[in-house]
Amino acid sequence: MNRTLLISLAGAVVLSGSAAAYGVFRDDTVTVSAVCVPAMENDRDRAGLAGAIAVVTVDRTIKVTARDGYHESLSHVRVTENLKGTLPASLDMTQNVQLAPDGALSSAEDYSTVLRPGHQYVIGIFHTPGKIPDAWLSTPADGPALDTVRARWKDAIAHQNPPRSNPKCTSDVIVK
C-alpha cells in the first residue's frame, strides 16, 4: 500500500465521525490508528459529546433483542425536562445491556444504568434524525436524588469539553 491510499483511508475514517485516525511516517513504515474513540473520561467529556441530555421517566420496556455480542433494550420514555438540546415529549430509545443467566438486565458501561420502568433518569443521547436514539449515558434520578443529579449534569453541560479523540487508543495497523 502506498502512503496516499493510507492517508485517504485515514481521512475517510475521520470524516465518518465514528472514530479518529492518524498516521505516523518514519522511513518506509506507516502507522495508522483507526479505532480511537472520543474521550468519555468524565461528565464534561460526555456532556460535550451528547446531542441532547434530558430528565426522563421510563414508561415501559418494549422488548429486549439479542445482538451479536450484546443485547439491546428498547424502552418508551417521557421527557420531563430538557437540559441540553430538545427532545420530544416522549420517545422510544435503545440501550446496550447485558443479560444475566437469570434474565436480569445489567449495564454495559460504567456511565450507564439500565433504564427500568417507573424510574427517572438523566439520559444523554447522540441524535440522528430518523433513527431511534441510543441512551448511551443514564444516571438514576429518582425522588430526592433528582436535584443532585440535575445539578451535576447542568454543571457538566455548562463546562463541557469539546469532543476530542482519546489519546489512549492502541489498536494500530502498521504497514511497511
Side-chain angles (χ1 to χ4, degrees):
M1 254 191 221
N2 64 36
R3 290 180 187 187
T4 304
L5 178 57
L6 286 171
I7 291 170
S8 297
L9 291 172
V13 171
V14 170
L15 292 175
S16 73
S18 63
Y22 59 88
V24 176
F25 305 102
R26 277 189 294 245
D27 303 324
D28 287 332
T29 301
V30 178
T31 302
V32 177
S33 177
V35 295
C36 303
V37 296
M40 291 191 288
E41 297 166 0
N42 56 54
D43 290 346
R44 290 177 180 190
D45 289 335
R46 291 184 275 277
L49 292 169
I53 298 177
V55 178
V56 301
T57 301
V58 180
D59 285 336
R60 68 185 184 282
T61 300
I62 298 169
K63 67 179 176 179
V64 177
T65 307
R67 300 284 186 214
D68 189 23
Y70 68 97
H71 286 78
E72 185 176 84
S73 174
L74 177 64
S75 300
H76 183 76
V77 302
R78 282 179 287 117
V79 175
T80 56
E81 180 182 0
N82 286 294
L83 302 177
K84 177 182 178 183
T86 303
L87 293 175
S90 67
L91 68 152
D92 294 340
M93 60 186 345
T94 62
Q95 183 181 35
N96 294 345
V97 295
Q98 296 175 352
L99 187 63
D102 67 357
L105 298 177
S106 63
S107 175
E109 294 95 12
D110 291 338
Y111 46 85
S112 181
T113 303
V114 175
L115 300 176
R116 299 190 190 285
H119 295 276
Q120 265 191 318
Y121 301 87
V122 170
I123 54 124
I125 65 169
F126 296 114
H127 185 68
T128 305
K131 292 191 174 193
I132 294 175
D134 183 29
W136 62 272
L137 78 78
S138 54
T139 307
D142 282 328
L146 177 59
D147 289 338
T148 303
V149 173
R150 180 190 294 119
R152 168 186 160 189
W153 283 106
K154 281 186 173 185
D155 179 69
I157 293 163
H159 301 98
Q160 64 188 311
N161 293 328
R164 56 193 168 89
S165 65
N166 188 339
K168 298 180 211 157
C169 50
T170 58
S171 297
D172 295 337
V173 176
I174 300 173
V175 179
K176 292 187 180 191

